Amino acid sequence: MLRRLQIPLTLTWLTVLFVVPMPLIVLLSNGLSPLYASSALGIQAGVIAYSWMLTAVVLSTRPHWLDRLIGLPNIYMIHGILSLGAIALAFMHRTVLPSSGIIALTGNTAFWIFVGVGVWSMVFMAGWLTTRVPLLGRIKRFLERVFRHEFSVWLHRLNLLAVMLIFIHVQLIDIVNTIRPFMIAFDAFALLAAVLYIRSKLMQAFAARKGTVESSEIIAPGVLQLDIHVPSQRGSWEVGDFVFIRFPEIKGLREYHPFSIVSLPHRDARLRFAIRGDGDFTKSLVNTVKEGSVVEVLPPFGRYRRFLDERGDNRPIVIFAGGIGVTPLVPVALAYEDSGRPIRFLYTARTEDQLLYADELERWSLQEHCDLMLQAGRFTPDELSSAMLPNAVYLIGGPAPMLRSTRRLLVSQGVRADDICYEPFTW
């Protein structure tokens, strides 16, 4: 039986794969001359590829309402798979229907832009892949010495140029541009995607919440604690949330980057982050951001609180955290300490001095129903299994391999997949 999280996710997949392209396919099929019946499959493949790419563009704007339903990691997963599917269908389209002249120029140029950006994104922007393929991970780390985060973000935007070229490409094809109902729908889809994309960029430019850095200090080896005062952000996030922030006055930090909020929602409008210097963005942030630096913050994302609310208010909570992945889970534990719900918190880091907020967690564990296990070095599968509670829900935060192995362990022990929540930053 589908539960609340799976139903929105399933409906989202059905919508983007079938519902979105269906009107275009129906209108095209009804208006296409029988003379071109042999070419119908290739034409339809191109139309589906274009509708999927438009949908991927819209998903790249991070629709906030959709994040609260299925989570941003799932949005980016759908975005990536749609893009790869569009490339595969575009390859089929150009193989079955060779063209010439300006039609071929626009179509082929768009196709190779999609392929080039797709390959680049698989290395630099698809952490779900690079964390599974060690070779790709090593290539990414090597190339990051030259190609920084901002370059990858701007390169990804070449997809917009490819989408515009395909729009022109279709306008030039006599077989389809004479089918007026199809062309009206085709143009309307393109216009809607453009409006949604432009709207998101305008919101980033003019509706971002502005603040300043109040303090920055190293709290563990390679980990910077950043306190940011954002007056308009006063208490307007949920525990476990993350936000996209940027520093518009600092070169190399002008593109938005996600970080989990460590602080609880409260009235003083202070956002606290614990940031480990792993990639080029975070390393630059650790070295260059100082007190008084100007920061811009987008509205918060996240599903940890929604996940718990959807599963009732009396089930035990078990939290598995590793390394920097503890940051969204500390406020969750603190927020529920007075709920009376049994909460078990297991937290591991490579060394003791990398256990973040251990003092706060130790104080939290003094509550009768709060159980804490801190450990340098990974917990064994037996230790994780022994920490499970009957009818519990599970929150996980940590490196991608830990997320996958812990989830597999829980599922193998009979935990339902939709009773497990984690939000990997692998996109």
Side-chain angles (χ1 to χ4, degrees):
M1 179 179 178
L2 292 176
R3 297 285 294 274
R4 293 183 184 180
L5 175 60
Q6 293 175 315
I7 291 175
L9 183 58
T10 301
L11 290 177
T12 302
W13 273 112
L14 291 175
T15 299
V16 301
L17 290 177
F18 304 109
V19 176
V20 172
M22 187 60 67
L24 294 178
I25 295 299
V26 171
L27 292 172
L28 176 67
S29 300
N30 289 338
L32 194 63
S33 170
L35 296 174
Y36 303 106
S38 60
S39 304
L41 185 60
I43 298 172
Q44 290 171 351
V47 170
I48 295 173
Y50 185 71
S51 67
W52 284 359
M53 190 54 70
L54 281 182
T55 305
V57 168
V58 173
L59 292 178
S60 72
T61 66
R62 303 187 290 264
H64 193 263
W65 64 271
L66 190 57
D67 161 70
R68 294 304 198 186
L69 282 175
I70 67 173
L72 197 56
N74 282 322
I75 291 176
Y76 275 120
M77 177 66 73
I78 296 172
H79 164 85
I81 292 176
L82 277 183
S83 300
L84 293 177
I87 292 173
L89 288 177
F91 176 79
M92 173 183 171
H93 170 78
R94 67 193 297 269
T95 302
V96 174
L97 297 172
S99 56
S100 60
I102 188 66
I103 296 176
L105 178 63
T106 53
N108 290 335
T109 303
F111 175 76
W112 288 112
I113 290 175
F114 283 141
V115 171
V117 175
V119 171
W120 184 271
S121 298
M122 289 175 68
V123 175
F124 279 89
M125 305 182 79
W128 56 270
L129 182 62
T130 54
T131 58
R132 289 173 167 84
V133 183
L135 177 61
L136 284 180
R138 288 194 293 271
I139 292 173
K140 176 183 178 181
R141 289 189 291 273
F142 175 77
L143 293 178
E144 278 180 339
R145 300 173 184 175
V146 178
F147 302 104
R148 303 181 70 81
H149 173 74
E150 287 192 350
F151 176 80
S152 294
V153 172
W154 276 104
L155 187 67
H156 197 69
R157 291 171 182 152
L158 286 176
N159 281 328
L160 299 175
L161 173 61
V163 168
M164 289 190 292
L165 288 172
I166 293 299
F167 179 83
I168 297 171
H169 173 80
V170 173
Q171 307 297 322
L172 298 172
I173 301 174
D174 293 335
I175 297 175
V176 296
N177 66 23
T178 55
I179 307 173
R180 299 314 303 164
F182 169 78
M183 291 305 300
I184 292 172
F186 180 88
D187 293 347
F189 274 46
L191 178 61
L192 177 61
V195 168
L196 292 175
Y197 184 85
I198 293 172
R199 175 181 176 272
S200 74
K201 294 306 173 184
L202 290 175
M203 290 186 64
Q204 287 185 15
F206 300 107
R209 298 165 181 178
K210 301 183 184 300
T212 56
V213 174
E214 284 191 338
S215 65
S216 62
E217 61 174 315
I218 301 298
I219 59 172
V223 178
L224 175 72
Q225 179 174 279
L226 206 61
D227 284 348
I228 296 175
H229 184 257
V230 188
S232 59
Q233 192 75 40
R234 194 179 301 273
S236 61
W237 69 92
E238 299 175 0
V239 292
D241 277 358
F242 60 94
V243 292
F244 285 80
I245 66 175
R246 75 184 191 109
F247 299 85
E249 298 179 355
I250 302 177
K251 184 179 179 180
L253 302 180
R254 292 169 182 158
E255 292 290 343
Y256 283 101
H257 204 284
F259 297 105
S260 295
I261 305 172
V262 179
S263 49
L264 290 167
H266 43 53
R267 296 182 178 180
D268 66 4
R270 177 188 295 170
L271 298 177
R272 170 166 289 178
F273 306 95
I275 301 169
R276 188 175 63 199
D278 289 331
D280 62 90
F281 185 99
T282 52
K283 287 179 181 178
S284 296
L285 189 152
V286 169
N287 295 326
T288 59
V289 171
K290 307 296 182 184
E291 183 177 339
S293 296
V294 176
V295 63
E296 293 181 355
V297 181
L298 296 181
F301 296 82
R303 270 200 52 83
Y304 281 121
R305 177 62 183 266
R306 303 295 175 100
F307 171 84
L308 292 174
D309 289 347
E310 290 166 359
R311 280 149 186 82
D313 58 3
N314 58 358
R315 297 178 64 179
I317 302 172
V318 178
I319 299 173
F320 297 128
I324 199 69
V326 75
T327 50
L329 300 175
V330 169
V332 172
L334 297 178
Y336 283 87
E337 65 180 345
D338 296 326
S339 67
R341 300 171 67 167
I343 307 176
R344 182 165 290 170
F345 199 125
L346 281 75
Y347 177 29
T348 176
R350 290 183 180 179
T351 59
E352 287 190 9
D353 60 355
Q354 292 178 322
L355 291 167
L356 305 179
Y357 305 109
D359 291 341
E360 287 87 340
L361 290 172
E362 292 283 5
R363 287 194 293 270
W364 168 84
S365 68
L366 297 177
Q367 299 284 344
E368 183 178 353
H369 57 281
C370 298
D371 183 21
L372 175 67
M373 295 175 62
L374 298 177
Q375 179 171 300
R378 286 192 176 186
F379 291 103
T380 67
D382 287 342
E383 289 172 326
L384 294 176
S385 297
S386 64
M388 296 171 60
L389 296 173
N391 194 37
V393 294
Y394 296 84
L395 309 182
I396 315 174
M402 174 200 162
L403 299 180
R404 292 194 292 268
S405 62
T406 304
R407 182 183 182 278
R408 284 196 299 268
L409 173 67
L410 293 174
V411 172
S412 70
Q413 297 292 321
V415 177
R416 295 170 58 92
D418 61 334
D419 282 335
I420 305 169
C421 182
Y422 57 94
E423 294 192 310
F425 282 16
T426 52
W427 23 267

